[in-house]
């Protein structure tokens, strides 16, 4: 019997027992569908978070006060940590290949205009925010490049804040109160949307020096540095570290490149994707047990057929191949059904819940189909070997 005949024999066997074959295929389909659906969710979340983190560009380095790791030193040394200052940001701005820096102070305060008031995020920054954070101004202009000591009481509103405070009224030139202090509105930002649940349009931007005074802080929360495209982030980080150690006397700060953040994030999300795929693999294991059970029953029911094949000259290897092909076909058909089920479920979830992103890569679908076929093959090997070991005379007597 050649390979083509073996395929026909296996298909005839599956068709002749439609209900049994359907239930077996269903077991594999549910397992593959669970794997595809869960990995699609994991991959969708992976891509979504990476897109969120990179919407401000990829040539960014963040510097924060304090060390992110300990070195076993006495806690008394904490008092020696110097705050990050606007002068530090100005010094970093002079490092070669750094194009701009943004000192960042963040807090929450009441913003008032007339009888309207709302609490919102307040960012203390400088004139380079549109360039470094890749934000756009829709009306007016952003904060001017004033010296920190002479920073004027200007404010730029996020699009949502402007709409809620002013409605259809032009906010440019209007005076508002932020945290009890008076500011003149000189610009409105273009709508940016949300990043990781934070509404970037529900914010107000003021000069960093004034934000430090407003929130009674001595240190900046962060300095963001934009370096030139094509530069090596590691080399730029070392220059920043050397300069700040010279200014502070010790390494009392933490430098994080965006590449480092994305690497850590990617590894965490990769583990998450594998974890949810492993959970779906439990269902796949159940499907494999189902194939083994069904094929074992099939061997017992078709003893006469096996005896006839052996009497006609089929060797043990041929019998093993026939039942292995049948089991592999069951797994492959179940895999196709599972891919349709899983990818269809992922599409339906994204349609019903647009904020829950899903993505089914072709590589995942191909791997799932191959996995289903392999599980079918492995599940059919044991029953196939049982069939091959049958004595042909005893098998024919079962007729």
């Amino acid at each position: 019997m050649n390979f083509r005949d073996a395929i026909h024999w296996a298909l005839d066997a599956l068709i002749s027992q439609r209900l049994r074959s359907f239930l077996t295929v269903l077991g594999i389909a549910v397992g593959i569908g669970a794997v595809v659906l869960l990995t699609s969710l994991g991959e969708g979340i992976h891509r979504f978070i990476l897109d969120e983190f990179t919407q401000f560009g990829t040539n960014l380095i963040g510097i924060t006060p304090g060390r992110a790791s300990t070195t076993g030193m006495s806690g008394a040394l904490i008092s020696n940590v110097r705050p990050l200052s606007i002068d530090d940001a100005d010094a970093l701005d002079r490092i070669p290949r750094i194009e701009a820096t943004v000192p960042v102070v963040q807090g929450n305060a009441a913003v008032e205009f007339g009888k309207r008031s709302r609490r919102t995020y307040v960012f203390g920054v400088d004139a380079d925010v549109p360039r470094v954070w890749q934000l756009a101004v829709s009306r007016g202009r952003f904060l001017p490049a004033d010296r920190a000591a002479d920073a004027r009481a200007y404010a730029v509103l996020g699009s949502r804040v402007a709409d809620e405070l002013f409605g259809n009224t032009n906010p440019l030139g209007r005076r508002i109160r932020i945290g009890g202090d008076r500011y003149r509105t000189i610009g409105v930002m273009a709508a940016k949307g949300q990043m990781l649940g934070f509404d970037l349009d529900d914010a107000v931007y003021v000069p960093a020096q004034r934000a430090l005074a407003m929130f009674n802080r001595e240190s900046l929360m962060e300095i963001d540095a934009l370096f030139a495209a094509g530069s090596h982030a590691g080399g730029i980080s070392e220059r920043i570290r050397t300069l700040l150690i010279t200014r502070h006397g010790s390494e009392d700060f933490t430098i994080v490149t965006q590449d480092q953040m994305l690497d850590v994030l990617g590894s965490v999300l990769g583990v998450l994707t594998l974890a949810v795929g492993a959970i779906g693999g439990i269902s796949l294991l159940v499907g494999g047990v189902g194939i083994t059970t069904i094929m074992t029953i099939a061997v017992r029911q078709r003893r006469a057929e096996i005896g006839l094949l052996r009497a006609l000259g089929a060797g043990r290897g041929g019998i093993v191949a026939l039942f292995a092909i049948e089991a592999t076909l069951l797994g492959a058909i179940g895999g196709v059904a599972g891919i349709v089920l899983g990818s269809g479920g992922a599409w339906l979830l994204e349609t019903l819940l647009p904020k829950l992103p899903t993505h089914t890569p072709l590589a995942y679908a191909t791997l799932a189909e191959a996995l289903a076929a392999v599980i079918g093959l492995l599940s059919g090997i044991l029953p196939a070997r049982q069939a091959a070991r049958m004595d042909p005379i005893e098998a024919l007597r079962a007729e």
Side-chain angles (χ1 to χ4, degrees):
M1 184 181 292
N2 57 36
F3 182 74
R4 183 177 179 181
D5 292 333
I7 293 292
H8 281 299
W9 182 87
L11 287 175
D12 288 340
L14 296 180
I15 294 172
S16 63
Q17 297 290 338
R18 293 181 180 86
L19 180 59
R20 185 182 67 191
S21 300
F22 170 76
L23 293 176
T24 307
V25 166
L26 182 62
I28 286 292
V30 170
I32 290 293
V35 171
V36 171
L37 176 59
L38 291 173
T39 52
S40 296
L41 284 171
E43 182 67 15
I45 294 172
H46 189 165
R47 288 171 173 253
F48 171 75
I49 295 180
L50 290 181
D51 289 343
E52 293 285 284
F53 266 89
T54 57
Q55 64 176 304
F56 293 129
T58 56
N59 297 337
L60 289 180
I61 296 176
I63 304 98
T64 55
R67 292 293 301 273
S69 60
T70 61
T71 57
M73 296 183 181
S74 170
L77 294 180
I78 295 176
S79 59
N80 294 329
V81 175
R82 290 185 54 181
L84 283 179
S85 65
I86 296 177
D87 289 339
D88 288 331
D90 293 338
L92 295 179
D93 209 5
R94 294 190 288 270
I95 293 178
R97 306 297 290 173
I98 288 186
E99 298 185 341
T101 59
V102 172
V104 181
V105 183
Q106 180 184 338
N108 189 283
V111 182
E112 306 171 33
F113 174 72
K115 296 182 179 180
R116 296 181 179 180
S117 175
R118 60 169 290 127
R119 293 196 69 86
T120 186
Y121 289 101
V122 177
F123 285 104
V125 291
D126 68 6
D128 289 321
V129 159
R131 182 182 182 186
V132 176
W133 290 359
Q134 296 187 4
L135 302 179
V137 178
S138 63
R139 285 180 286 176
R141 61 192 179 96
F142 200 71
L143 300 173
D146 293 341
R147 292 176 58 248
D150 303 323
R152 287 168 283 182
Y154 288 156
V156 178
L157 307 181
S159 59
R160 182 178 175 187
V161 176
D163 290 341
E164 294 194 6
L165 287 182
F166 293 95
N168 295 326
T169 304
N170 184 4
L172 299 183
R174 303 280 183 170
R175 291 193 177 274
I176 62 176
R177 284 189 175 274
I178 305 176
D181 297 328
R182 291 170 61 86
Y183 288 81
R184 183 183 296 278
T185 303
I186 62 171
V188 177
M189 303 302 294
K192 182 69 174 180
Q194 294 190 352
M195 184 192 74
L196 300 178
F198 172 71
D199 191 352
L200 298 173
D201 302 327
D202 190 8
V204 176
Y205 303 87
V206 300
Q209 186 63 46
R210 289 186 170 269
L212 286 171
M214 181 187 304
F215 300 119
N216 193 26
R217 295 181 182 273
E218 294 183 357
S219 173
L220 299 172
M221 296 180 65
E222 183 176 350
I223 297 175
D224 290 336
L226 174 70
F227 59 89
S231 301
H232 185 252
I236 301 294
S237 296
E238 285 303 315
R239 294 179 186 176
I240 292 174
R241 179 176 288 105
T242 300
L243 176 61
L244 290 181
I245 288 176
T246 301
R247 292 179 59 86
H248 289 206
S250 63
E251 190 174 347
D252 55 356
F253 51 86
T254 299
I255 300 174
V256 180
T257 67
Q258 199 157 24
D259 289 340
Q260 290 173 328
M261 288 188 289
L262 292 177
D263 287 343
V264 172
L265 184 64
S267 62
V268 171
L269 292 176
V271 171
L272 174 64
T273 302
L274 290 176
V276 296
I279 293 172
I282 296 174
S283 299
L284 196 56
L285 178 61
V286 173
V289 172
I291 289 183
T292 303
T293 303
I294 292 299
M295 292 303 298
T296 301
I297 295 173
V299 168
R300 293 177 180 176
Q301 291 179 340
R302 292 152 62 185
R303 294 179 64 186
E305 185 178 352
I306 296 169
L308 180 59
L309 288 172
R310 292 296 307 278
L312 292 175
R316 290 187 175 183
I319 298 297
V320 170
L322 287 175
F323 280 90
I325 288 173
E326 183 177 341
T328 303
L329 284 176
L330 281 172
I333 295 170
V336 172
I339 292 172
V340 173
L341 187 65
S343 58
W347 172 83
L348 184 61
L349 272 178
E350 189 169 14
T351 302
L352 297 177
L353 302 171
K355 293 185 179 181
L356 183 64
T358 62
H359 179 73
T360 308
L362 179 60
Y364 280 12
T366 304
L367 182 60
E369 174 61 17
L371 182 60
V374 169
I375 287 178
L377 174 62
L378 295 178
S379 301
I381 288 295
L382 182 59
R385 293 182 64 185
Q386 291 176 351
R389 287 198 297 266
M390 284 186 179
D391 182 85
I393 303 300
E394 294 296 329
L396 284 172
R397 285 178 181 174
E399 182 61 33

